[in-house]
Amino acid sequence: MNEEKLRFIDEYRNKEILLKLIKKLKREIDNPIKIMEVCGTHTISISKFGIRRLLKGKVDLTSGPGCPVCVTPNEDIDWIIELCRKFKDKICLTVFGDIMRVPGSNSSLFIEKAKGADIRVVYSPIEAIEIAKKRKDLKIVFFGIGFETTAPSIAISLIEAKKLKLENFYLYSAHKLIPPALDALLSLGEIKLNGFILPGHVSTIIGSNPYKPILKKYGLAGVIAGFEPLDIIQALLILNELIKNKNYDVKIQYSRSVKPEGNEKAKKIMNNVFKECNSIWRGLGEIPNSGLELREEYNDMNAKLHFDNINVSPKENPACKCGEVLRGIIYPFECPLFAKACTPNSPIGPCMVSSEGACAAWYTYEDWKKYKKMMKNE
Amino acid sequence: MCLGIPVKIIDVKYPEAIVEIGGLKKNIRIDLIENVKPGDYIILHAGFAIQKIDEKEALETLKILEEVLKRNE
Amino acid sequence: MNNIENIIRLAHGGGGKLTLQLIKEIFLPAFKNSILEKLEDSARINFNGKNIAFTIDAYTVNPIFFPGGDIGKLAITGTINDLAMQGGIIDPFISAAFIIEEGFEIENLEKIVKSMKEECLKNNVKIVAGDTKVVEKGLADKIYIITAGISFIPEKVDLGVHRIKEGDAIIVSGTIGDHGAAILSTRYDFKLSNSLISDCASLKDLVKSLLENDLEIHCLRDPTRGGLGTILNEIALKTNFGIIIDESKIPIKNDVRALCEILGIDPLYLACEGRIVCFSSWKKRNDVLSIIKENPLGENAMLIGRVTSKFSNKVIMKTTLGVKRIVSMFLGENLPRIC
């Protein structure tokens, strides 16, 4: 029962190899390095598997803006909430589970559901299509969050909706692109990094090439890593070598899934349905060409165009330091609200939303009080 | 930012496929990849296969990882 | 956030942090008494020198027919188990109330009642009182069942959080998360998987065999809503002890684990409906394990951890990688994620 392994997962969780690899990594690091891990799933893996603690003193791992829920600004959440309120009983909102608990300016989808809005969590956008087929009496709106990993799947769903001539399916696109965000983040010049652990599944779609000019421009190295503990440590080993040799290149550790050119078919499908647009990122402001919007051929499925009289006045909580956490300039526990007014149970900012952002990962898995004390004593 | 799990293809009926992991079976979509057949492993994200796993590369990675066990340190 | 605190959310019923908050802030202050404050699975009442276990449970499971059982079977086993956790294994009696939505098929009601009958016969339990209410369409989700149970506790049996000691062994009687996984599989299109089955079962006989032998059992809990992670946190909070568990020892079926990987859910918070978490003296741990394993429900029993005084109010898990991490309180809902 427990003895059976899950193939391509458990092999990369081998305890013996991990401990030896970590010893090797610590030995090979001469001076402590500061690395940004961009992806929310990496943040969770690093905390859940205790990697952050094991590398203390040698590798300083800071989280970046790769959590699609965390970087979605209040404006989008408020819009979706207003949609649910204005068209109650006429629409069914379908969402990924991640976004349910994220607070907007004064409510969240969780609360709106409790108040009677028809909001359904799906695992796949195809489930939303199925609902649209069954419930011709409702308008089904899909709240599209996620980066390049997810956008191609959403694109297929829209192509499917068109094929089925569905007249009641809409997308609100809040999709974003990672490379422009990295460029914008680095242009701020706020943090001194040595390199990046780059997202494994975004890169499965886009490949390693898009990162190269950006990292070269700022003199940084990057390694695309898988999500298992051995993947992450192996990626750090490769990254350390690149840093030591001042080799500002992008290497692929997660080669079983990532090719330099990525997934050409998925990219093509994504580009057939979406076009680049400017997008607002929490913590980073508006970044040109960093978002995805539906092409004109899909205007009739564009929720923003169809429901065009939704007005919102978003306001951000001035005490919330999510922006600084997302830019990697503070640790979650350095936010004055962390674990006090802001907990996973009652999050003030999206970074604390359960199992998603850096704040939640730290709160849920790390002995952050110890870390805070250690930092004070340094 | 992305939960993607390796699963095995056991039946293909484009654009759908049936996959298996740990005895669990599920219907998924394979519109985003080409040339999959039963026995192949793919990365599953939000009900879609986003890439076929390159088993050669996977074994190569493991080999390098296992090397560290052979050294006495 | 100004409105969060004003309305009940689904998470309030999840068995985690919010449920506890609701109990502590609304129910306890109103119904204050020393028996209720113990917050055990059943109340233990002394009645003319004899000890009685008394409990009540509401069943709102969705879907009402799930792999491995239905709401009727769950209502009976759930109440039998709550009584059993307090040691209430002698002559259990149950009363059942049904709240049925207008339009509910009678054929389905018959199926549910048949399940309840079968489970009662199996366990030598009688339903001795009942009530039925029908509400207008839309005011209930098909059918809700509320069951209250009462039974005698054998003399000299005293189970509860108050008996847990430093160093106590923590044993789980079988694989975790089976019920929760079976329910989730119906929601997110895993219909091809017929291996995910609820572990819904009566634990009365298992508890009987534990209490008959001199095993120094201190406390029994069944990890229903909120799963193993919730029970352990509740105990850590109530006793002011700490709990340390070993992830590699926690029994979990491969398909349950696979489901959790795909949906991004932590199996520690998935409900079990036929499992016991047993706190016994460390000295007796091997005997406890042997007795549990003799029962067909206990074949996968494992010693998973220990109660400690090295830290308090926390549950720490040594992961399969050998690194320790905190097991925090469940937030109330198991939702799939993409990230």
Side-chain angles (χ1 to χ4, degrees), chain A residues 27-50:
Chain A
R27 237 189 358 257
E28 291 183 7
I29 295 177
D30 304 320
N31 303 306
I33 51 175
K34 187 162 174 127
I35 306 294
M36 174 173 275
E37 35 93 358
V38 178
C39 170
T41 318
H42 273 142
T43 311
I44 298 171
S45 287
I46 287 167
S47 288
K48 193 162 109 163
F49 294 118

Short mmCIF file of all heavy atoms in Angstrom, two decimals, chain A residues 27-50:
data_model
loop_
_atom_site.label_atom_id
_atom_site.label_comp_id
_atom_site.label_asym_id
_atom_site.label_seq_id
_atom_site.Cartn_x
_atom_site.Cartn_y
_atom_site.Cartn_z
N ARG A 27 28.58 22.16 0.40
CA ARG A 27 30.03 22.13 0.23
C ARG A 27 30.47 22.99 -0.94
O ARG A 27 31.51 23.65 -0.90
CB ARG A 27 30.48 20.68 -0.01
CG ARG A 27 31.49 20.19 0.97
CD ARG A 27 32.09 18.85 0.60
NE ARG A 27 31.59 18.24 -0.60
CZ ARG A 27 30.73 17.22 -0.61
NH1 ARG A 27 30.27 16.74 0.53
NH2 ARG A 27 30.33 16.70 -1.74
N GLU A 28 29.65 22.95 -2.01
CA GLU A 28 30.06 23.65 -3.23
C GLU A 28 29.80 25.14 -3.19
O GLU A 28 30.30 25.89 -4.03
CB GLU A 28 29.38 23.01 -4.44
CG GLU A 28 29.90 21.61 -4.73
CD GLU A 28 29.30 21.00 -5.97
OE1 GLU A 28 28.56 21.70 -6.70
OE2 GLU A 28 29.57 19.80 -6.23
N ILE A 29 28.99 25.59 -2.23
CA ILE A 29 28.70 27.02 -2.16
C ILE A 29 29.78 27.69 -1.32
O ILE A 29 29.92 27.41 -0.15
CB ILE A 29 27.31 27.28 -1.52
CG1 ILE A 29 26.22 26.72 -2.44
CG2 ILE A 29 27.10 28.77 -1.29
CD1 ILE A 29 24.84 26.85 -1.88
N ASP A 30 30.52 28.58 -1.96
CA ASP A 30 31.57 29.29 -1.22
C ASP A 30 30.96 30.44 -0.43
O ASP A 30 31.06 30.53 0.77
CB ASP A 30 32.64 29.82 -2.19
CG ASP A 30 33.22 28.69 -3.02
OD1 ASP A 30 33.42 27.59 -2.45
OD2 ASP A 30 33.45 28.88 -4.22
N ASN A 31 30.32 31.35 -1.18
CA ASN A 31 29.66 32.46 -0.51
C ASN A 31 28.15 32.28 -0.61
O ASN A 31 27.66 31.85 -1.64
CB ASN A 31 30.04 33.79 -1.18
CG ASN A 31 31.54 33.99 -1.19
OD1 ASN A 31 32.18 33.92 -0.14
ND2 ASN A 31 32.12 34.18 -2.36
N PRO A 32 27.43 32.66 0.45
CA PRO A 32 25.97 32.48 0.42
C PRO A 32 25.35 33.14 -0.81
O PRO A 32 25.77 34.23 -1.20
CB PRO A 32 25.50 33.17 1.70
CG PRO A 32 26.67 33.27 2.56
CD PRO A 32 27.88 33.28 1.71
N ILE A 33 24.40 32.45 -1.42
CA ILE A 33 23.75 33.01 -2.61
C ILE A 33 22.28 33.32 -2.32
O ILE A 33 21.65 32.65 -1.50
CB ILE A 33 23.84 32.03 -3.81
CG1 ILE A 33 23.38 30.62 -3.43
CG2 ILE A 33 25.25 32.01 -4.38
CD1 ILE A 33 23.34 29.65 -4.60
N LYS A 34 21.81 34.35 -3.01
CA LYS A 34 20.41 34.74 -2.85
C LYS A 34 19.66 34.41 -4.15
O LYS A 34 19.99 34.93 -5.22
CB LYS A 34 20.28 36.23 -2.55
CG LYS A 34 18.83 36.60 -2.22
CD LYS A 34 18.72 37.94 -1.51
CE LYS A 34 17.28 38.36 -1.33
NZ LYS A 34 16.88 38.69 -0.03
N ILE A 35 18.70 33.54 -4.01
CA ILE A 35 17.98 33.04 -5.17
C ILE A 35 16.50 33.35 -5.06
O ILE A 35 15.91 33.22 -3.98
CB ILE A 35 18.14 31.49 -5.27
CG1 ILE A 35 19.61 31.09 -5.25
CG2 ILE A 35 17.42 30.92 -6.48
CD1 ILE A 35 20.39 31.56 -6.44
N MET A 36 15.92 33.78 -6.18
CA MET A 36 14.47 33.97 -6.18
C MET A 36 13.82 32.78 -6.85
O MET A 36 14.20 32.39 -7.97
CB MET A 36 14.09 35.26 -6.92
CG MET A 36 12.56 35.40 -7.06
SD MET A 36 12.04 36.97 -7.74
CE MET A 36 12.01 37.96 -6.25
N GLU A 37 12.88 32.16 -6.12
CA GLU A 37 12.11 31.11 -6.77
C GLU A 37 10.79 31.76 -7.16
O GLU A 37 10.08 32.29 -6.32
CB GLU A 37 11.93 29.88 -5.86
CG GLU A 37 11.78 30.15 -4.39
CD GLU A 37 10.34 30.27 -3.96
OE1 GLU A 37 9.45 30.17 -4.83
OE2 GLU A 37 10.12 30.49 -2.77
N VAL A 38 10.50 31.76 -8.45
CA VAL A 38 9.42 32.55 -8.99
C VAL A 38 8.03 31.95 -8.74
O VAL A 38 7.08 32.64 -8.50
CB VAL A 38 9.63 32.70 -10.52
CG1 VAL A 38 8.49 33.48 -11.15
CG2 VAL A 38 10.96 33.38 -10.79
N CYS A 39 7.97 30.64 -8.78
CA CYS A 39 6.70 29.96 -8.89
C CYS A 39 6.07 29.61 -7.55
O CYS A 39 6.75 29.10 -6.66
CB CYS A 39 6.95 28.69 -9.68
SG CYS A 39 5.61 27.55 -9.70
N GLY A 40 4.77 29.87 -7.41
CA GLY A 40 4.06 29.57 -6.17
C GLY A 40 4.17 28.10 -5.77
O GLY A 40 4.28 27.77 -4.60
N THR A 41 4.15 27.21 -6.75
CA THR A 41 4.25 25.78 -6.45
C THR A 41 5.64 25.44 -5.92
O THR A 41 5.79 24.57 -5.07
CB THR A 41 3.91 24.94 -7.69
OG1 THR A 41 2.78 25.53 -8.33
CG2 THR A 41 3.59 23.52 -7.32
N HIS A 42 6.67 26.15 -6.41
CA HIS A 42 8.01 25.96 -5.86
C HIS A 42 8.05 26.43 -4.41
O HIS A 42 8.64 25.79 -3.55
CB HIS A 42 9.06 26.72 -6.67
CG HIS A 42 9.60 25.93 -7.83
ND1 HIS A 42 9.90 26.48 -9.05
CD2 HIS A 42 9.91 24.61 -7.93
CE1 HIS A 42 10.36 25.53 -9.86
NE2 HIS A 42 10.37 24.40 -9.21
N THR A 43 7.40 27.57 -4.15
CA THR A 43 7.36 28.10 -2.78
C THR A 43 6.79 27.06 -1.83
O THR A 43 7.33 26.83 -0.75
CB THR A 43 6.49 29.37 -2.71
OG1 THR A 43 6.87 30.27 -3.73
CG2 THR A 43 6.62 30.05 -1.36
N ILE A 44 5.68 26.45 -2.26
CA ILE A 44 5.04 25.45 -1.40
C ILE A 44 5.95 24.23 -1.20
O ILE A 44 6.14 23.77 -0.08
CB ILE A 44 3.70 24.98 -2.00
CG1 ILE A 44 2.73 26.14 -2.10
CG2 ILE A 44 3.09 23.88 -1.14
CD1 ILE A 44 1.50 25.80 -2.87
N SER A 45 6.53 23.74 -2.31
CA SER A 45 7.43 22.57 -2.21
C SER A 45 8.58 22.84 -1.27
O SER A 45 8.92 22.01 -0.42
CB SER A 45 8.01 22.21 -3.57
OG SER A 45 7.04 21.62 -4.37
N ILE A 46 9.17 24.02 -1.42
CA ILE A 46 10.33 24.37 -0.61
C ILE A 46 9.97 24.41 0.87
O ILE A 46 10.72 23.90 1.72
CB ILE A 46 10.94 25.72 -1.09
CG1 ILE A 46 11.66 25.48 -2.42
CG2 ILE A 46 11.88 26.30 -0.06
CD1 ILE A 46 12.03 26.74 -3.16
N SER A 47 8.81 24.94 1.18
CA SER A 47 8.40 24.99 2.59
C SER A 47 7.96 23.61 3.07
O SER A 47 8.35 23.16 4.14
CB SER A 47 7.26 25.98 2.78
OG SER A 47 7.74 27.30 2.66
N LYS A 48 7.14 22.96 2.27
CA LYS A 48 6.57 21.66 2.68
C LYS A 48 7.65 20.62 2.91
O LYS A 48 7.56 19.80 3.83
CB LYS A 48 5.60 21.20 1.61
CG LYS A 48 4.71 20.05 2.03
CD LYS A 48 3.51 19.95 1.11
CE LYS A 48 3.65 18.73 0.24
NZ LYS A 48 2.40 18.32 -0.38
N PHE A 49 8.67 20.61 2.06
CA PHE A 49 9.73 19.60 2.19
C PHE A 49 10.87 20.07 3.08
O PHE A 49 11.92 19.42 3.15
CB PHE A 49 10.24 19.18 0.81
CG PHE A 49 9.21 18.46 -0.02
CD1 PHE A 49 8.77 18.98 -1.23
CD2 PHE A 49 8.66 17.26 0.41
CE1 PHE A 49 7.80 18.32 -1.99
CE2 PHE A 49 7.69 16.60 -0.34
CZ PHE A 49 7.26 17.14 -1.54
N GLY A 50 10.72 21.22 3.71
CA GLY A 50 11.72 21.68 4.67
C GLY A 50 13.02 22.13 4.05
O GLY A 50 14.04 22.25 4.75
#
